[in-house]
Amino acid sequence: MKQPASALFLTALVAGCDLPASAPCEVTGADGPVVANTSVGVWPAELSWREIWRAGGLNEAEVLVRPAGVAVSPDGSVAVVDWGLAEVIVLGPDGAWQGTVTARGEGPGEVQAPVAVTWVDADTLLILDVSAFRIVTLDLASRSASVAPVDPAFLSPVFAAGQVRFVALQPDRTVWLEFPGPIVDGREERSFVRWSPDRPVNDTIMASRAIGFAGTTLAAWPRSLLGVGAETWVVSNPDGRYELEVFDRDGTSLVRFCHTADALPLSPAERGEVADADMPDAWRDALRELGEPPTPAVISRIIVDLDGRIWVQRDRPLPGAFDGHGAPGAMYDVFLPSGRFLGSIRLPDEQRLMEARGRRVWTLHTGSLGESSIVALEIEGLDDIR
């Protein structure tokens, strides 16, 4: 059911310019441009969310099962790749359900296990079909399609593991994946690797050692994180410091920046002190035995939006939870592509950030019955989004 534009107003907590100034952070050992932020951003302290539309949910004509990601076209149309349905669905700029644009199968316009989607232009979609080892190019205007193979050696480690922890697909057909690795002394080697038809070599961008159970990493323990946009990609410091580096498509470092925020305290669930039906007893025992990290992770997720802004998630997902979309209702610190801090804002309850452009934000909402909705929100109270 579509919501009227004025249906929802929610308070958004923002670190704004009325807060007292703090000393800037420090970046050491940088060869290029550096931005050392304080806790003061340019966004005002009083902001609110306005819901523009939502699709899916309990509407029987708009079925979503397990959305893996969304992509937003220049005109605001939204392509949703649904892992559970093995379909790609398109929504109009106003949230109107335009329907499925793929069928299940092995033909040029069909997919078997789509995990990522992006727009090349207003009429053309790229879809990564992981089990078929290919990228499907779909022209919506003519309903024609073509396929390009993806090196099976690149996709096989993720396919064999039975899980896709991180995936990104850029308009130039570059694919990014997080590879699982061997476990040594309780730490798993995790690496972020990219591949493209123009450079058909598995290019390992970075690797770090993660702590986790049953293939799920523990967000409280610092490790390298990655965010990928259309033109840039961003990596975090692996040792827990609030420091990130921005690169262009060719891997040239554009800027390193830091922020002054501290890590959130560990929750009782992260310490293994809370009984949870979704967490096996053995996990709680292991968490208690593991203890607290010497330096808890300050951030848990990075998203580079359509404007190149960098959204850094502060809240950590609970142990055992699938964290591909981040913690629900999380706080985000937002930075310009230059690394300059804009402000901090918290998403509404049970909503996870999927994409953003200007004042508009697209989220995944999970309802009380487990139903999935794609929601378009707008930030109110910003005179300058920069």
Side-chain angles (χ1 to χ4, degrees):
M1 178 180 178
K2 301 297 182 295
Q3 298 279 341
S6 60
L8 178 65
F9 287 86
L10 294 170
T11 299
L13 178 61
V14 175
C17 56
D18 63 337
L19 298 179
S22 64
C25 55
E26 294 184 3
V27 175
T28 60
D31 297 327
V34 168
V35 172
N37 289 290
T38 70
S39 63
V40 179
V42 298
W43 283 0
E46 295 296 329
L47 296 177
S48 61
W49 290 109
R50 182 166 67 101
E51 182 170 319
I52 307 301
W53 55 257
R54 67 171 55 209
L58 297 176
N59 188 335
E60 295 181 356
E62 301 180 353
V63 177
L64 296 171
V65 174
R66 188 177 175 184
V70 304
V72 180
S73 75
D75 72 353
S77 297
V78 180
V80 184
V81 57
D82 194 303
W83 170 262
L85 294 172
E87 295 177 350
V88 175
I89 298 148
V90 172
L91 312 174
D94 59 354
W97 188 273
Q98 296 183 358
T100 302
V101 295
T102 60
R104 186 177 301 204
E106 300 179 358
E110 299 173 333
V111 294
Q112 299 179 46
V115 295
V117 63
T118 191
W119 295 86
V120 177
D121 54 43
D123 293 316
T124 309
L125 285 172
L126 293 183
I127 304 163
L128 176 62
D129 189 356
V130 66
S131 67
F133 302 105
R134 64 184 187 173
I135 295 173
V136 177
T137 301
L138 184 62
D139 186 310
L140 298 179
S142 65
R143 290 291 175 166
S144 62
S146 61
V147 298
V150 177
D151 183 6
F154 172 67
L155 291 177
S156 290
V158 171
F159 188 68
Q163 57 174 293
V164 180
R165 303 305 307 177
F166 175 91
V167 60
L169 177 62
Q170 293 177 296
D172 66 354
R173 298 191 297 173
T174 299
V175 183
W176 300 70
L177 291 173
E178 183 180 10
F179 279 10
I183 298 175
V184 179
D185 297 329
R187 292 176 178 262
E188 181 184 9
E189 293 288 340
R190 290 264 176 169
S191 54
F192 291 97
V193 185
R194 66 177 175 176
W195 176 94
S196 74
D198 298 329
R199 292 183 295 183
V201 176
N202 292 358
D203 182 12
T204 299
I205 297 301
M206 61 182 183
S208 61
R209 303 181 72 190
I211 292 181
F213 306 109
T216 302
T217 57
L218 297 180
W221 293 77
R223 68 184 186 103
S224 294
L225 300 172
L226 173 69
V228 176
E231 301 292 337
T232 59
W233 45 279
V234 181
V235 300
S236 66
N237 191 291
D239 66 7
R241 285 180 294 158
Y242 201 151
E243 185 177 309
L244 299 97
E245 188 166 7
V246 183
F247 297 86
D248 66 12
R249 284 191 181 191
D250 296 325
T252 301
S253 177
L254 301 178
V255 65
R256 284 173 62 182
F257 67 93
C258 60
H259 190 43
T260 59
D262 296 322
L264 299 175
L266 262 68
S267 67
E270 289 177 304
R271 297 190 183 97
E273 298 172 353
V274 175
D276 188 327
D278 295 329
M279 185 184 296
D281 291 339
W283 278 52
R284 288 194 292 273
D285 294 341
L287 286 169
R288 289 193 294 269
E289 183 178 347
L290 186 62
E292 297 190 18
T295 305
V298 182
I299 67 175
S300 66
R301 187 183 183 217
I302 305 169
I303 286 183
V304 182
D305 74 11
L306 294 169
D307 295 323
R309 294 173 305 186
I310 301 153
W311 295 66
V312 178
Q313 182 178 298
R314 299 292 312 286
D315 294 83
R316 298 182 295 264
L318 296 177
F322 176 71
D323 60 358
H325 299 128
M331 174 74 76
Y332 282 86
D333 297 331
V334 187
F335 301 85
L336 289 172
S338 66
R340 183 63 61 190
F341 178 54
L342 288 175
S344 300
I345 188 165
R346 181 173 294 281
L347 286 181
D349 291 346
E350 304 305 324
Q351 299 202 32
R352 294 169 168 87
L353 178 65
M354 303 291 275
E355 187 56 278
R357 181 172 60 204
R359 295 176 176 82
R360 184 69 59 89
V361 172
W362 293 266
T363 68
L364 171 64
H365 176 264
T366 304
S368 59
L369 300 178
E371 72 277 12
S372 295
S373 303
I374 301 301
V375 183
L377 301 171
E378 194 152 288
I379 305 172
E380 298 236 304
L382 287 180
D383 295 326
D384 183 1
I385 59 173
R386 288 201 252 184

